[in-house]
Amino acid sequence: MACCASCWRCHLGLLVPAGEEGEALLAKLDGATAAAYRKLFEFAASSLGRGAATATDAAQKAAASEAAAADARHPLKRALQALTQRRALYAACRDACGASRRALCVARLKETLAERGAAGDASKTTDPARFVSDLLAWTHQTLATEADVARGLFGDDGLKGLVSAAVEGLAAAVGDRIGAALGRLGADAAAAHGVARVCSCSADALGI
């Protein structure tokens, strides 16, 4: 087990007598430490959506965990800070967060479009250019929010990976709806040009 100058094992190593008895005590303390970190991991990973039975459950976990991103004293935030001492467990929490955030982004997209009624249906919209513009604006804002949540929970560690998980979740859903809206353009060259400009500006803003 790796030690540092300030860890308990190094300090106790100076106090515990050499021999089998001393090593046995240190081994028990090592085991207790590992078990404690494992408990922290189980709490944090579950809070972030690990083990969720459905995408809906994962999305609900992700939404509930957002409070920790803005509160340094939140139990989840404190657990994640402690788990930085166990990099494999910390990385597993980050992966769980990515999966649940991906599910949450897709759920929020569907909810947002459903709230708009017919205007949120790409296959029925009477203003494809406006539909695409609104959809891309929503996507940009959502990814900015995802970056804030990721940074709040994990700092800059793995930030790019967590935002990429959100992009992965939204790519197909957003792309399919843009494609459906484009199918509504018909022979309207002016509208097609407008959509092309909106898509280009959005790609620049997102760094694509």
Side-chain angles (χ1 to χ4, degrees):
M1 177 180 178
C3 291
C4 64
S6 61
C7 77
W8 65 265
R9 205 178 196 284
C10 294
H11 287 305
L12 282 181
L14 300 175
L15 301 174
V16 174
E20 293 182 2
E21 293 81 1
E23 286 301 316
L25 174 58
L26 291 176
K28 288 183 179 296
L29 290 173
D30 280 342
T33 300
Y37 275 110
R38 188 71 193 180
K39 287 289 186 182
L40 278 175
F41 166 71
E42 290 171 356
F43 162 72
S46 176
S47 298
L48 291 167
R50 186 173 187 265
T54 65
T56 299
D57 291 340
Q60 290 174 345
K61 290 275 189 175
S65 70
E66 287 180 353
D71 182 1
R73 296 184 62 80
H74 192 284
L76 173 57
K77 177 68 173 180
R78 296 176 70 177
L80 289 172
Q81 289 174 334
L83 286 168
T84 59
Q85 301 301 313
R86 294 293 185 274
R87 301 304 297 179
L89 298 180
Y90 186 71
C93 285
R94 194 168 58 234
D95 290 344
C97 182
S100 64
R101 299 302 306 178
R102 183 164 57 243
L104 179 60
C105 285
V106 174
R108 284 179 170 170
L109 172 60
K110 293 178 179 178
E111 180 181 344
T112 297
L113 294 177
E115 288 174 351
R116 298 183 61 191
D121 187 337
S123 66
K124 297 178 181 178
T125 181
T126 57
D127 189 348
R130 175 64 181 274
F131 176 89
V132 172
S133 178
D134 289 348
L135 178 58
L136 291 175
W138 179 91
T139 302
H140 187 274
Q141 181 58 50
T142 295
L143 293 181
T145 298
E146 288 305 301
D148 289 341
V149 172
R151 189 178 288 109
L153 290 173
F154 294 93
D156 290 329
D157 188 14
L159 174 61
K160 183 176 180 179
L162 287 171
V163 175
S164 293
V167 172
E168 180 184 346
L170 289 172
V174 170
D176 289 347
R177 286 167 173 81
I178 290 177
L182 290 175
R184 300 279 295 172
L185 288 173
D188 189 340
H193 182 247
V195 171
R197 291 183 61 187
V198 167
C199 290
S200 178
C201 290
S202 182
D204 290 341
L206 293 172
I208 298 174

